[in-house]
């Protein structure tokens, strides 16, 4: 598998993750407030990590591409934490949901054979 395809897998995985997170946030804003809103955002991080990691891994067949997507999400989440005020509990919850989403994507990919899509 070419390096170009692996880089494309990271890019597409990151876009997929961003769309999933944006979708959850769009649904949550205006419907819920306070801590429940932050919980929904954290759940969106997990869903984004799952979807983005799954796409990257399935497109490339290389686990490092899924790790790269989750790493990019973590860096973006850290930037978000500095840009906007968050409750203290949000930081560890967001980290756990990112890791759990990534781990679930790897588990699903392995269960389905772990082969890259042709």
């Amino acid at each position: 598998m070419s390096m170009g395809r692996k880089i494309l897998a990271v890019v597409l995985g990151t876009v997929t993750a961003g769309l999933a997170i944006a979708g959850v946030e769009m649904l949550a804003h205006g419907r819920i407030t306070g801590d429940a809103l932050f919980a929904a955002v954290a759940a969106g991080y997990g869903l984004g990590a799952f979807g983005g990691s799954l796409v990257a891994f399935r497109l490339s067949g290389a686990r490092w591409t899924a790790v790269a997507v989750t790493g990019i999400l973590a860096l973006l989440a850290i930037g978000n934490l500095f840009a906007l005020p968050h409750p203290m509990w949000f930081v560890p919850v967001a980290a756990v949901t990112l890791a759990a989403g990534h781990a679930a994507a790897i588990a699903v990919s392995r269960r389905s054979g772990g082969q890259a899509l042709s």
Side-chain angles (χ1 to χ4, degrees):
M1 180 111 6
S2 73
M3 182 56 75
R5 181 163 174 170
K6 290 176 182 174
I7 291 170
L8 180 62
V10 172
V11 170
L12 292 177
T14 303
V15 169
T16 300
L19 291 173
I21 294 168
V24 169
E25 290 186 9
M26 194 168 51
L27 289 172
H29 283 284
R31 290 177 176 79
I32 54 178
T33 60
D35 283 349
L37 177 59
F38 285 103
V41 170
Y45 284 5
L47 181 64
F50 174 78
S53 293
L54 186 64
V55 166
F57 188 71
R58 293 296 303 204
L59 288 176
S60 70
R63 185 170 180 203
W64 73 262
T65 60
V67 172
V69 169
T70 303
I72 290 167
L73 292 179
L75 291 173
L76 293 171
I78 290 168
N80 186 18
L81 291 170
F82 284 109
L84 302 167
H86 292 78
M88 289 299 293
W89 61 263
F90 182 80
V91 175
V93 169
V96 167
T97 59
L98 279 170
H102 172 81
I106 297 301
V108 166
S109 291
R110 283 189 177 157
R111 193 168 280 186
S112 64
Q115 298 296 317
L117 300 174
S118 311

